[in-house]
Amino acid sequence: MPSAEFEHTAIAATTRATAWQQLQNPDTWLGLAGVDEVFDTHHDPDGLMTAYRFRATAASQVYEGTARTVEAANPSKMVIDISTSEVTARITTLLLEAEDGVAVTVTVALRSKGFLSTLFFPVISQAMSSGLPKQVDAFAARLS
């Protein structure tokens, strides 16, 4: 199955503690990797967002999927695995101290898992590649 990886870094004018807290807010994830809606969120007793469901748009199609946190290192790293009927992805968010705030690096490792997504993977991949920088810039702004 085809796969691709994309990465972008933006600066958030905030602290890592505040950015980490915002990562636990479902609305923070809107717009990243095509996510249009986040719902049915779950948090552990310490406030870590452990799972959610979402709707995303890719190649003019709306997909519903699930997400679960697979790694969390407060306040520096959060890794989420997502799955839809056609694709899976791992979204890794790193928060590192920077001179002007926090360097937010988002890596999306995308993999096709269905027949249709294999056919349309070049379109999906191009959309992710061209859209991720703007999405991560907006994501970093929401972390402040």
Side-chain angles (χ1 to χ4, degrees):
M1 294 288 175
S3 63
E5 186 170 293
F6 311 94
E7 183 175 285
H8 184 72
T9 300
I11 300 297
T14 191
T15 65
R16 287 195 318 166
T18 298
W20 179 262
Q21 186 176 17
Q22 285 302 107
L23 288 179
Q24 312 319 310
N25 177 352
D27 291 340
T28 299
W29 298 90
L30 295 174
L32 190 62
V35 172
D36 301 315
E37 181 183 2
V38 174
F39 57 98
D40 194 21
T41 59
H42 299 271
H43 291 80
D44 73 8
D46 295 325
L48 174 71
M49 187 168 57
T50 58
Y52 60 88
R53 294 177 50 208
F54 65 91
R55 287 189 186 85
T57 303
S60 300
Q61 292 283 7
V62 176
Y63 296 95
E64 190 167 306
T66 59
R68 66 182 178 88
T69 301
V70 294
E71 184 178 345
N74 183 356
S76 60
K77 183 177 184 182
M78 189 164 176
V79 181
I80 296 175
D81 281 351
I82 66 169
S83 181
T84 72
S85 61
E86 297 295 326
V87 297
T88 61
R90 174 162 282 186
I91 300 172
T92 302
T93 303
L94 295 176
L95 305 174
L96 301 174
E97 295 290 342
E99 187 174 313
D100 297 332
V102 176
V104 180
T105 300
V106 176
T107 305
V108 178
L110 186 65
R111 179 177 298 276
S112 170
K113 75 174 194 181
F115 176 72
L116 286 177
S117 67
T118 299
L119 294 175
F120 292 106
F121 195 79
V123 173
I124 295 168
S125 182
Q126 177 59 37
M128 180 66 68
S129 176
S130 64
L132 191 65
K134 183 178 178 181
Q135 294 169 9
V136 173
D137 290 347
F139 180 72
R142 288 190 298 274
L143 294 178
S144 298

